[in-house]
Amino acid sequence: MSGKTKHYFAGGNTARGFHSLYESNLHGLERLYILKGGPGTGKSTLMKKVGKEWVEKGFDIQLLHCSSDPESIDGVIVTDLKVGIVDGTAPHVIEPKAPGAIEEYINLGSAWDSQILSQNKQEIMKLSSEISVAYEDAYSLFASALAVHDEWEEIYIANLDFQKVNKLTEKLKDIFFGGIFINKNSEIRHRFLGAATPIGAVDYVPNLTEDIAKRYFLKGRPGSGKSTMLKKMAIEAEQRGFDVEIYHCGFDPNSLDMIIMREIGVAIFDSTAPHEYFPSRQGDEIVDIYLEAILPGTDEIYSDQIQDISTRYRTKMNEATQALARAKSLHDKLEEIYIRAMDFSEIDRIHNNIRDKVDQIAQPFI
């Protein structure tokens, strides 16, 4: 029987630049292999191979997807073995806690022909510079979009009944937790619900919540208090000893989009665009903050202003996405140079070496 695979992002291209949550998800691993090497050296392919091997053996794994190319992965964790492999190149630089004892560096650069790369030095430097500019453009455009989004939020904040939102939050706390307290320290993991990618917004909500008995779909508007509600829920869960998966907004990492408490089978998440979902199975429930706590008629009263804000916001977001797509196109060209310089038989040898090491770690579990 195959194991289960959980998909999520631990790094994001956000309105506040590249934001990393890797440390939270790598915390507690007993062995971590940190891959070093340039683009096109086979890091993602190697990690996917290892993940596939262990999930086919019946072990659960986690795939940490790349926000700059969601088809690529930046890390794989074999959950029960507490073993991880991660791309340790910029921008997701991993700080080792116990080098040699926990973390081990794996140099994929040993498989490239430096002479071929040297012959293409000028092109490599040119592409690298252009990639950096494209990302800077994307982050600047996302920041501009966030400023427009703040205007959007101000409309609804001014028409929000905070007392009603607080009352709704307390009601949900009672439903979720009742009088339950667990005598243990909580395990908290910070991740992204989705990511801004070169193909637009991508998320893995269906995968992350597929085995959750009770899903709450938060509906509302910008500024209606969804993130604040989720933050209060996460604090309450932690104080009661529950493990919590906290999913940040891929656009603004200071905001929350979802929390999952697997011990009680509950997920509650912002189910508005660009990650809009609707109940599709028994146990699903909508929580509509607009209906519960926003002054009736707010959408209609401010319709012209909202339309203007929405148009400006989407324009900036589309421009930012185009900048990310430009960065990926340039990165693909850079990869082609490195691929031509690679001896992939050496990468296969490195993969086999890692596989053997993980096999040894797994012996007590098999």
Side-chain angles (χ1 to χ4, degrees):
M1 181 178 176
S2 295
K4 293 182 178 179
T5 303
K6 287 285 180 264
H7 300 265
Y8 58 87
F9 295 96
N13 298 305
T14 81
R16 305 181 192 279
F18 182 81
H19 193 85
S20 174
L21 297 172
Y22 282 87
E23 185 174 352
S24 175
N25 293 283
L26 302 178
H27 177 73
L29 295 183
E30 295 180 359
R31 197 68 182 166
L32 178 63
Y33 300 98
I34 303 173
L35 304 182
K36 293 289 188 178
T41 52
K43 297 185 295 294
S44 177
T45 300
L46 186 155
M47 290 186 284
K48 284 180 179 179
K49 279 184 181 179
V50 173
K52 184 173 184 289
E53 288 165 357
W54 286 96
V55 83
E56 288 178 351
K57 292 179 181 179
F59 288 79
D60 293 347
I61 67 167
Q62 303 167 36
L63 294 182
L64 286 61
H65 287 258
C66 173
S67 56
S68 295
D69 179 6
E71 293 299 313
S72 180
I73 65 168
D74 284 339
V76 58
I77 296 171
V78 185
T79 309
D80 292 334
L81 300 182
K82 295 186 177 181
V83 171
I85 310 172
V86 66
D87 181 346
T89 56
H92 27 70
V93 178
I94 310 301
E95 293 294 336
K97 305 298 182 187
I102 295 177
E103 297 90 2
E104 179 178 339
Y105 286 99
I106 307 290
N107 180 24
L108 274 63
S110 63
W112 64 39
D113 186 328
S114 297
Q115 186 174 354
I116 293 175
L117 296 178
S118 180
Q119 293 168 356
N120 290 273
K121 179 176 66 175
Q122 294 303 320
E123 182 67 9
I124 289 172
M125 293 176 66
K126 178 175 178 290
L127 287 169
S128 297
S129 176
E130 290 174 347
I131 290 168
S132 295
V133 170
Y135 278 116
E136 288 171 6
D137 289 346
Y139 298 149
S140 177
L141 288 161
F142 281 133
S144 296
L146 181 59
V148 176
H149 197 271
D150 288 344
E151 295 179 41
W152 207 342
E153 289 190 344
E154 287 171 4
I155 293 173
Y156 292 99
I157 290 172
N159 291 277
L160 178 66
D161 187 326
F162 289 92
Q163 188 173 354
K164 287 183 178 178
V165 175
N166 290 337
K167 186 176 180 180
L168 178 59
T169 302
E170 293 304 315
K171 177 184 175 183
L172 289 171
K173 284 182 186 178
D174 288 340
I175 292 171
F176 295 168
F177 308 116
I180 302 173
F181 288 81
I182 304 177
N183 186 26
K184 68 174 179 62
N185 292 326
S186 299
E187 183 179 281
I188 309 297
R189 301 290 184 185
H190 291 270
R191 299 165 178 168
F192 285 103
L193 175 130
T197 82
I199 59 173
V202 174
D203 70 75
Y204 298 103
V205 170
N207 168 263
L208 292 166
T209 64
E210 64 184 355
D211 54 355
I212 298 296
K214 191 71 177 177
R215 302 188 301 176
Y216 292 82
F217 297 65
L218 283 178
K219 301 292 183 179
R221 305 290 188 273
S224 58
K226 299 185 296 295
S227 175
T228 300
M229 175 184 286
L230 292 172
K231 288 176 181 178
K232 289 180 178 179
M233 293 288 182
I235 291 171
E236 184 74 18
E238 183 177 5
Q239 290 175 343
R240 289 170 176 261
F242 290 96
D243 296 340
V244 191
E245 295 170 21
I246 298 175
Y247 292 85
H248 295 248
C249 172
F251 171 54
D252 178 6
N254 292 342
S255 182
L256 299 189
D257 276 347
M258 175 167 71
I259 62 170
I260 297 178
M261 298 157 288
R262 296 190 184 275
E263 289 159 315
I264 53 174
V266 169
I268 178 167
F269 62 98
D270 181 339
S271 184
T272 57
H275 34 77
E276 185 173 25
Y277 292 93
F278 295 92
S280 59
R281 64 181 196 231
Q282 188 175 1
D284 289 349
E285 187 173 327
I286 287 177
V287 177
D288 194 328
I289 298 178
Y290 183 82
L291 292 178
E292 293 277 353
I294 298 287
L295 182 69
T298 297
D299 283 349
E300 292 75 18
I301 293 168
Y302 296 91
S303 60
D304 291 343
Q305 190 175 343
I306 291 169
Q307 181 60 46
D308 171 65
I309 292 171
S310 175
T311 299
R312 288 188 286 122
Y313 171 73
R314 296 188 196 291
T315 297
K316 289 296 182 184
M317 291 297 286
N318 288 337
E319 290 174 351
T321 300
Q322 289 167 13
L324 289 180
R326 186 167 74 252
K328 183 183 184 304
S329 176
L330 292 164
H331 192 271
D332 289 346
K333 292 179 181 178
L334 188 59
E335 281 191 338
E336 290 173 5
I337 296 173
Y338 278 85
I339 288 170
R340 292 197 300 269
M342 290 296 294
D343 177 359
F344 284 100
S345 65
E346 174 64 12
I347 299 298
D348 289 338
R349 187 195 67 77
I350 292 172
H351 163 255
N352 292 337
N353 184 39
I354 293 175
R355 183 188 59 199
D356 291 344
K357 290 179 178 181
V358 179
D359 277 342
Q360 291 178 1
I361 294 169
Q363 287 308 308
F365 298 87
I366 297 175

